[in-house]
Each structure stands twice: as structure tokens, then as C-alpha cells.
């Protein structure tokens, strides 16, 4: 019997295939009598991490009907990241307290060129939640940095993004390879934008190294495999300029 704490650790380490397999063994009939809400939340997050958005939505909706707040937070991430659905985001937000995870969804959506969400509003919300040590707050810091890189108009905004990313890296810890790999990828973009190619290359190499470690833990994750290809192309792009 695998505990939900053990399953959460597998998810945190990016071992999504292993976590989903363990859940299937214990709960072959899905959410209900067999599957606790916490396990359903982990299952939904694993599917999201793998880019299996239909399965993530289905599982999150089932957990939501059982009263899961985390499922609602995941659904707002899906509305922001996958569907780009502002109406759905606002509707889901009405049923949720203000939290880093909710703000994170809006930070993600704000990056899109067709979004009217205020960059300044996102930055202010992030700064207000800076002392929150939850994983949701760390994701918010990360995605606010991405927003600053995408829509920032001054070098100082890029410098702020870099500062945010270094804080996110320290908070993600040693085992969150996929999160840190993504951060280093974007750091390479930020340093290049500031004209520091040497640190940009170092960041790109770090990103690729972390993706290699992550893939060794979850080789069937298609989304991770796409990311490692992107990291390889990024390093090649920098070293051949």
C-alpha cells in the first residue's frame, strides 16, 4: 500500500508514471470508494505534468465534486494554460479564496499577447505573497518572472525577473529537477537579453543537465521529452551564434 505522502513525493520528484501506476494498482475503479480525494488530486497533477490535459481535467472535476479546493486550483491553471479561457478563470476564482495558486493562474494567462491582465497587478500580488513558502507561491514567483521577461519593457524588469528566478530555484530545493530545469532555460533567455552570453550559456547547460536527470526518473513523460529537446536546441542556438 502506497501512502498519499509517498505518492506526493513521487509527484514532487517528477516520477509521474510511477505515481500513476501505484494509484492504478490501489484504485482500479477510480475516484470514489477506492480513491481518497488526496490521491485524486495527485493523479490529476501527474496528468497535468505529463501534458495529458483531458485526463487531468476529468480527474480534477471528479475531485472537485467531492469538495477538493486543490482540484479547483488545478482547473483554473488548466483554464489559463491550456484553454486560455478568461470566463472560466473568473468563474472558478469566485469559489476560491485568494491564494498563490489562483494568482499563479492569472500570471500564466497574463503572458499571452491577447491578455489584458495587468503586469503590475501580478507583480504586486507576487510581492505581497513573497513570504508564503508554499509550492504555489514558488510557482507564482517563477511565472511572474516569465511575465516580466515576456512583457517587460526595461532592463530593470529583466533584472527583477532574474532575481525572482533565483529565489524560485532556492525554494524548489534539490529534487524538483523539472521545475529548476525550466527556470534555468528561461534564465538563459534573460541573460542573453541583457547581453551576458557567458551566463546565458551556463544557464542553458544547467537546464539541459537537469532535464537529463529528470528524464531518467520519468522516461515516458512526453512533455518532459519535448522539454529536453527544447533545452538541447537552446544550448545549440547559443553556442553557435
Amino acid at each position: 500500500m502506497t501512502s498519499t505522502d509517498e505518492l506526493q513525493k513521487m509527484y514532487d520528484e517528477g516520477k509521474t508514471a510511477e505515481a500513476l501506476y501505484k494509484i492504478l494498482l490501489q484504485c482500479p475503479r477510480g475516484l470514489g470508494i477506492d480513491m481518497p480525494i488526496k490521491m485524486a488530486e495527485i493523479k490529476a497533477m501527474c496528468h497535468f505534468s505529463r501534458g495529458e490535459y483531458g485526463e487531468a481535467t476529468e480527474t480534477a472535476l471528479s475531485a472537485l465534486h467531492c469538495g477538493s479546493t486543490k482540484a479547483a486550483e488545478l482547473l483554473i491553471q488548466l483554464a489559463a494554460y491550456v484553454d486560455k479561457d478568461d470566463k472560466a478563470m473568473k468563474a472558478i476564482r469566485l469559489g476560491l479564496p485568494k491564494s498563490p495558486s489562483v494568482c499563479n493562474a492569472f500570471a500564466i494567462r497574463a503572458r499571452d499577447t491577447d491578455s489584458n491582465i495587468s503586469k503590475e497587478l501580478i507583480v504586486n500580488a507576487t510581492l505581497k505573497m513573497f513570504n508564503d513558502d508554499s509550492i504555489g507561491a514558488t510557482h507564482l514567483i517563477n511565472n511572474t518572472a516569465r511575465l516580466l521577461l515576456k512583457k517587460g519593457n526595461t532592463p530593470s524588469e529583466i533584472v527583477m525577473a532574474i532575481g525572482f528566478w533565483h529565489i524560485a530555484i532556492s525554494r524548489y530545493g534539490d529534487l524538483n529537477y523539472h521545475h529548476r530545469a525550466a527556470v534555468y532555460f528561461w534564465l538563459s533567455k534573460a541573460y542573453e537579453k541583457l547581453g551576458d552570453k557567458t551566463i546565458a550559456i551556463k544557464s542553458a547547460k544547467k537546464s539541459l543537465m537537469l532535464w537529463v536527470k529528470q528524464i531518467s526518473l520519468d522516461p515516458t513523460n512526453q512533455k518532459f521529452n519535448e522539454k529536453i529537446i527544447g533545452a538541447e536546441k537552446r544550448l545549440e542556438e547559443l553556442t553557435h551564434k
Side-chain angles (χ1 to χ4, degrees):
M1 188 77 170
T2 308
S3 70
T4 52
D5 285 344
E6 290 172 314
L7 291 169
Q8 182 68 49
K9 187 172 184 292
M10 290 176 197
Y11 167 76
D12 291 341
E13 293 176 357
K15 299 177 182 177
T16 59
E18 183 178 354
L20 288 170
Y21 176 69
K22 297 286 188 183
I23 291 170
L24 179 61
L25 285 180
Q26 292 177 211
C27 307
R29 291 186 292 175
L31 185 64
I33 296 173
D34 287 341
M35 187 180 295
I37 292 177
K38 174 65 176 175
M39 197 174 289
E41 291 169 351
I42 295 168
K43 183 176 185 291
M45 290 188 298
C46 284
H47 284 306
F48 181 81
S49 182
R50 295 174 66 84
E52 298 162 354
Y53 301 126
E55 293 90 336
T57 301
E58 182 180 357
T59 307
L61 283 171
S62 296
L64 179 66
H65 293 152
C66 295
S68 169
T69 299
K70 281 192 175 182
E73 290 178 343
L74 180 58
L75 287 168
I76 201 170
Q77 309 290 324
L78 285 158
Y81 183 66
V82 181
D83 300 322
K84 317 292 185 185
D85 190 333
D86 296 315
K87 289 184 179 179
M89 289 175 66
K90 291 175 182 177
I92 297 168
R93 183 183 63 181
L94 290 175
L96 289 170
K98 188 174 182 180
S99 72
S101 292
V102 172
C103 290
N104 184 49
F106 284 87
I108 290 169
R109 179 68 179 114
R111 295 197 305 255
D112 296 320
T113 54
D114 67 334
S115 175
N116 295 318
I117 298 171
S118 165
K119 175 181 61 181
E120 290 72 24
L121 184 67
I122 298 297
V123 171
N124 288 336
T126 303
L127 291 173
K128 287 178 182 177
M129 296 182 182
F130 228 70
N131 292 327
D132 188 321
D133 61 359
S134 68
I135 190 68
T138 304
H139 292 332
L140 173 60
I141 291 169
N142 177 10
N143 282 304
T144 300
R146 285 195 59 185
L147 172 61
L148 287 166
L149 179 65
K150 179 72 179 289
K151 293 189 173 180
N153 299 313
T154 64
S156 63
E157 288 177 299
I158 306 305
V159 171
M160 179 183 282
I162 289 171
F164 279 7
W165 273 318
H166 282 293
I167 290 168
I169 287 168
S170 67
R171 293 189 183 186
Y172 279 134
D174 295 332
L175 294 177
N176 283 285
Y177 296 133
H178 52 305
H179 294 313
R180 289 188 293 136
V183 170
Y184 277 109
F185 177 91
W186 292 109
L187 274 170
S188 78
K189 296 276 190 179
Y191 281 117
E192 183 186 27
K193 200 166 186 178
L194 289 178
D196 196 331
K197 188 175 179 181
T198 299
I199 300 182
I201 290 172
K202 286 181 180 178
S203 299
K205 286 180 178 178
K206 184 74 172 179
S207 176
L208 179 56
M209 180 193 74
L210 288 167
W211 279 122
V212 169
K213 288 184 177 180
Q214 183 61 80
I215 290 295
S216 71
L217 297 174
D218 200 22
T220 65
N221 190 317
Q222 184 59 37
K223 192 172 179 182
F224 289 171
N225 278 287
E226 291 171 2
K227 295 293 185 182
I228 198 171
I229 292 170
E232 289 169 344
K233 288 181 178 178
R234 174 64 184 151
L235 182 56
E236 184 178 355
E237 173 188 80
L238 280 169
T239 54
H240 286 83
K241 276 188 176 180

